[in-house]
Amino acid sequence: MKIIMLGAPGAGKGTQAKMISEKYGLPHVSTGDIFRANIKNGTELGKEAKKYMDAGQLVPDELTVKILLDRVAQDDCKNGYVLDGFPRTIPQAEVLDKALTELGDKVDFAINVDVPDENIINRMSGRRACVTCGATYHVVYAPTKVEGICDKCGSELILRDDDKPETVKARLEVYHKQTQPLIEYYDKKGVLKEVDGTVDMNEVFNSIVSILA
Ligand code: AP5
Ligand code: MG
């Protein structure tokens, strides 16, 4: 099963992708997490990506597409995956479709987690992220057992550099301009599913499970 998570920054793509990954045994592939791991490790890719991420802009397609195609060509992705944060532009979606078509394959579901902009800023300021295992928390909505420490792997949590309110606003603008058109793109392909992302995260997950079942 090949699933794409669509939605604004902070809509809960990562939260839901992790839950899907655990329930269905599919790898969770997040381009944002891949970039953050590279930044943490000080790689050239990380240095390049950070310039764009800190400004709330998209990392150029040439860089992003290569990383994603390499990742989904790995063995653990043979039976499917959940893509979180990719594609983010129409050209990225076209590259993915072309690569899948060459393998006689296709995207099964594009799930749009719908959350209005008004709810987003509040969510981002309370978010805490684990760069080691990719887990995501929220100080109010999804707190850890020990403050600042990841429940799953024990690493220290970070506040993402791009979660400052000014940067979140820039990311929302970029989202509406460059990523939102993907909703129509996948609707035309007949694989779009919409869920209300404003309700409790377990309720959002139940809606997704009833779509995938
Ligand atoms: P990326 O890491 O993908 O960031 P994003 O799309 O902006 O999305 P977020 O990770 O911020 O939000 P999310 O939807 O995953 O929400 P989450 O589950 O954390 O990308 C970062 C940057 O990398 C981009 O800006 C770009 O520069 C670059 N990049 C990445 N991919 C790229 C690509 N393909 N092309 C080009 N550039 C790319 O939830 C948010 C918070 O809310 C959490 O604290 C969570 O606990 C809480 N929460 C979740 N669900 C609920 C709920 N139902 N109720 C209450 N709280 C909730
Ligand atoms: Mg995320």
Side-chain angles (χ1 to χ4, degrees), residues 86-108:
F86 187 100
R88 247 190 168 82
T89 62
I90 300 276
Q92 289 183 11
E94 288 170 348
V95 169
L96 178 66
D97 276 343
K98 185 164 170 276
L100 286 172
T101 306
E102 279 166 11
L103 298 169
D105 211 343
K106 63 174 184 52
V107 169
D108 297 296

Side-chain angles (χ1 to χ4, degrees), residues 119-141:
N119 302 34
I120 299 287
I121 307 250
N122 174 31
R123 279 198 190 178
M124 303 303 231
S125 55
R127 171 163 58 186
R128 298 294 180 271
C130 177
V131 182
T132 307
C133 77
T136 300
Y137 302 92
H138 191 283
V139 290
V140 179
Y141 308 122

Side-chain angles (χ1 to χ4, degrees), residues 142-208:
T144 47
K145 293 192 186 82
V146 181
E147 201 185 315
I149 301 295
C150 180
D151 285 350
K152 293 194 176 121
C153 76
S155 302
E156 220 169 291
L157 300 178
I158 60 150
L159 239 170
R160 276 171 48 178
D161 284 340
D162 59 348
D163 277 351
K164 293 192 291 275
E166 320 84 83
T167 316
V168 172
K169 279 191 196 126
R171 285 161 62 198
L172 279 169
E173 273 172 35
V174 167
Y175 166 75
H176 289 300
K177 221 163 120 193
Q178 303 197 55
T179 307
Q180 209 170 13
L182 289 173
I183 296 176
E184 199 190 327
Y185 178 94
Y186 285 110
D187 194 17
K188 281 192 180 144
K189 294 199 175 284
V191 294
L192 180 74
K193 303 285 173 188
E194 301 257 12
V195 295
D196 177 2
T198 62
V199 296
D200 175 87
M201 45 191 91
N202 293 311
E203 274 180 61
V204 180
F205 187 57
N206 288 339
S207 313
I208 293 177

Side-chain angles (χ1 to χ4, degrees), residues 5 17 20-21 36 44 50 53 57 69 71 79-80 84 89 92-93 104 115 127 134 162 177 180 183 185 189:
M5 304 305 294
I20 296 170
S21 159
R36 280 185 288 279
E44 283 307 312
K50 187 170 166 51
M53 291 169 75
Q57 302 299 316
L69 293 181
R71 177 63 190 91
N79 297 321
D84 159 19
T89 62
Q92 289 183 11
V115 176
R127 171 163 58 186
D162 59 348
K177 221 163 120 193
Q180 209 170 13
I183 296 176
Y185 178 94
K189 294 199 175 284

Side-chain angles (χ1 to χ4, degrees), residues 27-62:
H28 169 201
V29 176
S30 158
T31 37
D33 285 352
I34 295 172
F35 290 138
R36 280 185 288 279
N38 275 276
I39 293 173
K40 191 183 171 204
N41 295 327
T43 68
E44 283 307 312
L45 168 68
K47 281 180 202 153
E48 187 62 18
K50 187 170 166 51
K51 291 192 267 184
Y52 298 95
M53 291 169 75
D54 284 356
Q57 302 299 316
L58 296 184
V59 177
D61 284 348
E62 306 83 76

